[in-house]
Amino acid sequence: MINTVEKIYQDTPSGDIQIIYKVTYSDNKSWFCNEDKGNRHYQEILEWVENGGVIVDNGA
Amino acid sequence: MAITRLGPNQDITAAKIAGQINFKNLIINGDMSIAQRGTSTSGITGTGVFVVDRWNIDEVADSTLTMSQENLSSGNAYNNGFKKSLKVLVTTADTSLGSTQSVQLMQKIEGQYLQYLNFGTSNAKNLTLSFWYKSNVTGIHTVCIDKSDSTRATCPLEFTVSSADTWTKYTLNANANAVVQGSTATIDNDNGTGFRVMWGLAYGSNYLSGTSGTWEQNGTGSFSTSNQQNIVGAVNNYVELTGVQLEADTSASDFEFLPYDVNLRRCQRYYTRIARTGGDYAYGWGWLYGTTGGNFAIPVSTPMRIQTPSVSVIGTSFAIYSNGTKQNGSTMGTIAWESNTYVIGLNTGSLSHSLDKHTASLNNASGTPSGMEFDAEL
């Protein structure tokens, strides 16, 4: 069960900003995932948001 | 062993080679021998929990479960070559299921592995599911093959546990019918989920409209049948499973045991980990850029299912060495390399350095244990 999701802005070697998400579950385990709809953690985040979850976004 | 000389035009066909491995089993790790994450997890609520590789539990009720890999030392499954099993134990019961609640033990199968089944055509193949099973709960249990691509089609299969706490082999048929021969039953030829094979530990009333052994297009309504039992309805109820094989045929063949290394590598397409206890040892190499970034390549034994698997840091941090300095990091994302590359690209942020364009190594931080996990499960 998801506890928190944080949006992280990360520099890349090409100079672009990479968006990653840190998702932390009720057992305190955290995963970093990209915005990839084939990624099960990202799918879970989308579902969590749909059900009212709010992503922590501290900006770039 | 006797060797027979073949005469002219006597080809060595598959049928002439006994005991061959041909990857007929659509299930991965059906003998439950691989458990990279550990051998037991307790307090399970929620979805997507794995212990034995490739097998996950979705607990969408009010129960609490423990899932474990068990060592077998006796019984009919053991006597047929199975040394490990997967066990789900109820530690908090849910005696009153809501209509939309469910508890399912399942394996998901990629659509691209299922193309030869010809679903969506008149040549759709029959399927046979065989497995060894044990439970303290007697009576009818169910497993469902769920084809979720295109228009969902489901085939629930009932089987009866006659003797409590006794390993029994079950062979169940899911024969093709007009539903899976119809054009709306195609399976996408991709790396997404094509099938879910789901043992139903509990289903609310919304899921019980199915007919055993019959493919139907009824949304999620036919995951199970009206004979479904609530196995999570009492503490200490359990189910135990091993020797799972799903094959395109009308009868079950002997379980296809794979060598340990082959089985492990098949599992590592979906999950792999690099970890050790103590010491600063390198497991990847790369370079630092700018003032906060690092970019690394981690070699893996097999390309993972998706190009950007999730990453989890085991322990609290990882270490980066460059130009005689060390610092710990804790944040990272994956960088997509081309498909089928035996490397995972990592991009680490939140560092602080003045080592732009210096080579660097990515190390496990001192501690017990430390390392990284990569997850590309369905």
Side-chain angles (χ1 to χ4, degrees), chain B residues 28-29 82 148 190 206:
Chain B
I28 296 174
N29 199 25
F82 298 99
S148 49
D190 61 17
N206 282 12

Side-chain angles (χ1 to χ4, degrees), chain A residues 1 8 10-13 18 20 26 29-34 36 38-41 44, chain B residues 48 50 287 289 292 305-306 308 310-312 330-334 347 349 373 375 377:
Chain A
M1 196 176 301
I8 297 171
Q10 196 158 267
D11 294 332
T12 66
Q18 180 189 23
I20 57 174
S26 52
K29 189 173 182 66
S30 295
W31 289 92
F32 296 98
C33 68
N34 295 17
D36 175 356
N39 181 302
R40 74 182 182 105
H41 294 109
E44 285 183 24
Chain B
F50 290 80
W287 63 296
Y289 58 88
T292 61
R305 181 183 66 85
I306 55 176
T308 56
S310 300
V311 190
S312 183
S330 59
T331 302
M332 61 175 46
T334 49
N347 194 31
E373 297 172 272
D375 187 310
E377 267 293 352

Side-chain angles (χ1 to χ4, degrees), chain B residues 36-102:
Chain B
Q36 297 181 80
R37 297 167 178 86
T39 55
S40 183
T41 297
S42 59
I44 295 171
T45 59
T47 61
V49 179
F50 290 80
V51 174
V52 175
D53 275 58
R54 302 267 32 242
W55 293 94
N56 82 279
I57 194 105
D58 278 4
E59 194 281 331
V60 190
D62 299 313
S63 59
T64 308
L65 309 169
T66 293
M67 186 158 59
S68 57
Q69 183 195 47
E70 299 290 317
N71 293 309
L72 301 182
S73 57
S74 63
N76 289 336
Y78 175 82
N79 293 336
N80 280 273
F82 298 99
K83 309 306 180 197
K84 303 282 185 181
S85 66
L86 185 163
K87 183 176 183 178
V88 180
L89 175 70
V90 179
T91 55
T92 303
D94 182 349
T95 57
S96 178
L97 290 170
S99 60
T100 60
Q101 290 188 312
S102 62

Side-chain angles (χ1 to χ4, degrees), chain B residues 113-272:
Chain B
Y113 292 170
L114 303 171
Q115 295 307 303
Y116 69 90
L117 300 182
N118 277 328
F119 272 40
T121 78
S122 58
N123 294 321
K125 293 190 187 303
N126 299 318
L127 297 171
T128 295
L129 178 67
S130 55
F131 55 91
W132 288 88
Y133 191 84
K134 186 170 90 163
S135 176
N136 66 310
V137 180
T138 58
I140 293 174
H141 292 228
T142 67
V143 55
C144 178
I145 304 174
D146 171 32
K147 185 207 72 70
S148 49
D149 272 342
S150 309
T151 302
R152 167 168 263 135
T154 57
C155 185
L157 301 162
E158 295 180 345
F159 57 100
T160 302
V161 174
S162 301
S163 302
D165 308 315
T166 304
W167 280 109
T168 304
K169 184 176 182 179
Y170 297 91
T171 300
L172 310 174
N173 297 113
N175 291 333
N177 62 8
V179 166
V180 295
Q181 291 168 341
S183 60
T184 58
T186 54
I187 300 171
D188 295 342
N189 187 10
D190 61 17
N191 62 355
T193 301
F195 275 177
R196 299 191 301 168
V197 184
M198 316 185 295
W199 278 258
L201 277 68
Y203 280 116
S205 58
N206 282 12
Y207 304 108
L208 305 180
S209 300
T211 302
S212 183
T214 303
W215 284 101
E216 294 177 38
Q217 287 180 330
N218 185 31
T220 59
S222 296
F223 279 169
S224 188
T225 72
S226 57
N227 293 317
Q228 174 71 44
Q229 297 192 79
N230 178 11
I231 296 169
V232 302
V235 170
N236 289 329
N237 279 357
Y238 74 91
V239 301
E240 207 168 331
L241 182 67
T242 193
V244 183
Q245 182 155 285
L246 179 64
E247 56 195 305
D249 210 329
T250 52
S251 61
S253 59
D254 289 345
F255 183 84
E256 185 177 62
F257 286 100
L258 299 181
Y260 181 86
D261 59 323
V262 175
N263 205 14
L264 175 63
R265 198 156 300 175
R266 297 204 77 195
C267 292
Q268 286 175 329
R269 174 171 171 78
Y270 304 91
Y271 172 89
T272 192

